[in-house]
Amino acid sequence: MNKIEQLKEIVEKSNNIVFFGGAGVSTESGIPDFRSSNGIFSKSYNRNIMPEEIVSHTYFENYPEDFFDFYVNKMIFKNAKPNAAHIAISRLEKEGKLKAVVTQNIDGLHQMAGSKNVYELHGSIYRNYCEKCGRFYSLDDMLERFYKDKVPKCDCGGTIKPDVVLYEEPLPNDTITGAINFIAHADTLIIGGTSLVVYPAAGFISYFRGKNLVVINMSETAADRNADLVINQKIGEVFEQIK
Ligand code: NAD
């Protein structure tokens, strides 16, 4: 049996699947990941400072103009559309087979594909809040103020901060609890499109106690040695075949 057939069989026999994913899930939608050769983490940017440093809390506080320039131009892809992986994952939820998506992505593509129970470990580009008064701003509202003033400002004078988890910032507690709970009770965990090097998110997969651990990733990951099935192919192309 080839690997796609094996994956089909696992999905067929499972009724409590959780999907755990990262930036690689959205590369086929045109959003670069951080670690592939053409990923944004491989290029230095803006006075030779690496993006990892720019998307940190310290950088946001000290150089807000540079932060927003990078964030808006390199991390927001408003025209990106869900690919075959997002669509198949959403379909599995509708069929009752998949119970939750746990994602490190901030692009909202799982929800755009129709997934309902999505744990966004690192937040979302679609939510933005004033640091001072807490007022909510949509992505378009935030962008409008960014294009006007370089650093988006609320009417109260506070800076509008994207609701994304920057390096050095903690993950939201309720999201952690929910994500771990679903992973711990899953019969199948499908890990896809993630290098599994960003912590604490990557550590959550260790709560899995179920039957089938599947990894779908272009490159090797630390989860491969414990996996029942490892597929080193593009995740969209894989999900396209398990319809
Ligand atoms: P990563 O960039 O560290 O790793 C991506 C992994 O996906 C790599 O191992 C790569 O080989 C694999 N990959 C790339 N394209 C693939 C494809 N089509 N099919 C299968 N595998 C593919 O991503 P990460 O582990 O998610 O960690 C990076 C951090 O960057 C996360 O915290 C995330 O929040 C953030 N990020 C998010 C987005 C997004 O929202 N789309 C984009 C870039 C970075």
Side-chain angles (χ1 to χ4, degrees):
M1 206 186 327
N2 73 25
K3 290 191 173 196
I4 300 293
E5 295 300 323
Q6 285 180 54
L7 178 59
K8 274 186 188 167
E9 192 174 289
I10 288 173
V11 168
E12 183 66 36
K13 289 183 176 160
S14 305
N15 53 31
N16 190 348
I17 302 172
V18 170
F19 180 78
F20 180 95
V25 177
S26 297
T27 54
E28 287 160 88
S29 296
I31 303 179
D33 64 14
F34 275 5
R35 254 155 282 268
S36 297
S37 57
N38 62 347
I40 49 183
F41 261 23
S42 65
K43 297 173 197 150
S44 57
Y45 181 82
N46 204 0
R47 290 181 260 121
N48 288 335
I49 296 167
M50 293 302 285
E52 273 146 320
E53 207 182 322
I54 297 182
V55 290
S56 69
H57 186 79
T58 306
Y59 207 85
F60 172 80
E61 290 295 330
N62 294 343
Y63 307 104
E65 229 180 274
D66 281 2
F67 169 87
F68 277 103
D69 180 45
F70 178 83
Y71 175 74
V72 170
N73 292 307
K74 300 283 183 184
M75 297 191 70
I76 295 179
F77 293 84
K78 266 185 66 180
N79 296 325
K81 296 276 177 294
N83 63 52
H86 299 103
I87 292 164
I89 289 164
S90 153
R91 197 194 64 238
L92 289 173
E93 185 188 40
K94 279 193 199 87
E95 291 170 1
K97 286 195 159 290
L98 186 139
K99 302 301 179 194
V101 173
V102 179
T103 182
Q104 298 163 84
N105 292 348
I106 57 173
D107 56 32
L109 290 183
H110 283 293
Q111 290 92 331
M112 219 183 276
S115 286
K116 300 281 181 242
N117 196 25
V118 183
Y119 287 87
E120 294 175 311
L121 298 177
H122 295 158
S124 169
I125 59 168
Y126 290 100
R127 296 185 298 269
N128 303 272
Y129 295 94
C130 169
E131 285 199 301
K132 210 164 145 197
C133 72
R135 179 174 159 189
F136 173 83
Y137 285 86
S138 68
L139 177 58
D140 285 339
D141 291 343
M142 187 280 284
L143 286 175
E144 197 181 309
R145 289 170 188 243
F146 161 78
Y147 288 120
K148 208 167 115 246
D149 293 327
K150 293 188 180 160
V151 174
K153 291 285 182 191
C154 181
D155 294 344
C156 80
T159 300
I160 301 168
K161 185 179 182 290
D163 187 19
V164 301
V165 178
L166 303 176
Y167 285 85
E168 306 159 355
E169 291 179 346
L171 271 54
N173 265 328
D174 49 345
T175 312
I176 298 179
T177 314
I180 290 177
N181 195 34
F182 274 100
I183 291 171
H185 293 101
D187 58 6
T188 294
L189 180 64
I190 304 178
I191 298 171
T194 170
S195 59
L196 293 177
V197 301
V198 177
Y199 279 80
F204 296 172
I205 61 168
S206 66
Y207 287 89
F208 178 62
R209 295 281 174 272
K211 248 179 106 185
N212 309 295
L213 181 64
V214 178
V215 178
I216 308 169
N217 207 61
M218 292 289 280
S219 51
E220 257 180 57
T221 75
D224 293 5
R225 64 192 163 92
N226 296 322
D228 301 286
L229 177 63
V230 177
I231 305 180
N232 294 125
Q233 289 173 45
K234 288 188 176 173
I235 192 161
E237 291 177 4
V238 170
F239 273 108
E240 186 78 58
Q241 295 172 69
I242 66 148
K243 276 179 192 161

